[in-house]
Amino acid sequence: MRHILIFIMLVASVSAHAQAVTAPQSPQDGGSTVQPAPKEPAGKSAPLFRSLSVNIDLVGPLMLRLSDHGEYQGTLQASIRGKYLPVIEFGYGKADKYDDDTRVSYTAKAPFGRIGCDYNILKNKLDNYRLVLGMRYGYTSFSYDMTEPLPENPSVDDPEDGAETESPSATAYSIAAGTTRSQIPDGGVPYVTTHEKLNLHWLELVFGVDAKIYGPLHMGWSLRYRKKISCSDYTKAPLYAPGYGDASNSSRFMALYTVGLQF
């Protein structure tokens, strides 16, 4: 809830600032009339190459400060005739989680990347504002460690009839490949750590807004719907994937708030 409130406040601030910058003032108010955004010349199309934008996301670093996961992300986007906006997104995400109730800890960090294209749905492609729909393909390859306590009385399979029987101690617990045991000081409770490597592919549907604030300075936000399309096998489900977020879900929503320069 705290993250949602912060995001709403950011969106409200940029919207109010953009309106203040672009709202025309009448001579009676003591101000000069602001020139409207340029319109496309009749019978002519916008230039083939309109602009190049470099942006950074502000939500990811904020989440790193306020929670146990987050990411740093940059964007490079071109404008073709003001209509098509091919984009490359790249970043570095990390998580360091610990659950007091389950005593499960999880760590992961790795780079990620996305590639895709937006489409400006506004009629005037030369406007200082953009309202876009788009799609992304995302990929990350990362390693993660998950440490959890062994059950006090774990179950093992009976080799004769396949029935489950209660083992006399945690030492009979069968540990999967890629895991190690450890002891912690408080009471000698046995823990098991799983080391795994994962490749994750996903798609994103994008709806976003971009506005000129002053000169080359632009700000905007986008809503993302992410859907896994491919994931390598794992023993323990990853709790966080860089660039994707909560990897225990096959799909999720996310929001980005960006600031950058347009050339």
Side-chain angles (χ1 to χ4, degrees):
M1 180 61 69
R2 177 171 53 185
H3 300 164
I4 295 176
L5 291 176
I6 293 174
F7 174 71
I8 293 175
M9 291 173 64
L10 290 172
V11 172
S13 65
V14 69
S15 300
H17 185 74
Q19 291 175 5
V21 170
T22 59
Q25 296 180 342
S26 63
Q28 291 81 0
D29 294 334
S32 59
T33 303
V34 176
Q35 294 297 324
K39 296 183 179 180
E40 295 184 64
K44 294 183 179 180
S45 61
L48 177 63
F49 182 79
R50 281 274 299 153
S51 63
L52 183 67
S53 302
V54 179
N55 303 287
I56 59 172
D57 171 52
L58 302 181
V59 175
L62 186 62
M63 292 182 65
L64 274 174
R65 293 294 301 272
L66 301 178
S67 69
D68 52 18
H69 68 279
E71 50 209 25
Y72 300 102
Q73 177 177 305
T75 299
L76 184 64
Q77 187 168 47
S79 174
I80 307 299
R81 298 196 186 282
K83 181 184 300 185
Y84 303 104
L85 309 163
V87 60
I88 297 175
E89 299 174 342
F90 47 89
Y92 187 85
K94 57 182 180 179
D96 189 356
K97 295 173 173 284
Y98 180 76
D99 191 308
D100 291 326
D101 296 328
T102 62
R103 295 185 295 175
V104 173
S105 63
Y106 177 89
T107 58
K109 54 184 178 180
F112 62 88
R114 307 187 200 97
I115 188 171
C117 188
D118 292 331
Y119 179 78
N120 184 6
I121 61 178
L122 291 182
K123 182 177 181 180
N124 184 3
K125 308 305 180 186
L126 301 183
D127 203 342
N128 291 326
Y129 300 89
R130 293 174 185 159
L131 184 65
V132 302
L133 296 175
M135 180 173 286
R136 306 281 189 275
Y137 160 74
Y139 172 77
T140 185
S141 178
F142 65 103
S143 298
Y144 62 93
D145 292 341
M146 184 182 294
T147 302
E148 56 188 338
L150 291 175
E152 294 182 2
N153 294 299
S155 297
V156 295
D157 292 334
D158 190 315
E160 295 183 359
D161 55 16
E164 284 195 346
T165 60
E166 194 175 82
S167 63
S169 68
T171 57
Y173 184 70
S174 177
I175 303 177
T179 63
T180 59
R181 287 175 180 267
S182 62
Q183 297 281 346
I184 62 173
D186 52 346
V189 178
Y191 274 67
V192 59
T193 300
T194 303
H195 312 274
E196 300 205 49
K197 184 175 178 60
L198 193 71
N199 296 315
L200 179 64
H201 307 255
W202 69 92
L203 291 178
E204 296 185 10
L205 297 179
V206 180
F207 172 77
V209 174
D210 179 82
K212 177 180 178 179
I213 302 302
Y214 181 79
L217 180 64
H218 279 240
M219 300 183 79
W221 56 266
S222 64
L223 298 178
R224 309 289 182 98
Y225 172 73
R226 295 171 176 167
K227 177 69 176 179
K228 288 183 185 178
I229 56 175
S230 177
C231 183
S232 53
D233 294 333
Y234 51 79
T235 304
K236 298 290 184 179
L239 303 181
Y240 168 82
Y244 180 85
D246 186 354
S248 61
N249 296 323
S250 61
S251 62
R252 65 189 310 269
F253 285 93
M254 186 59 188
L256 301 181
Y257 188 89
T258 58
V259 59
L261 301 176
Q262 178 175 296
F263 306 99

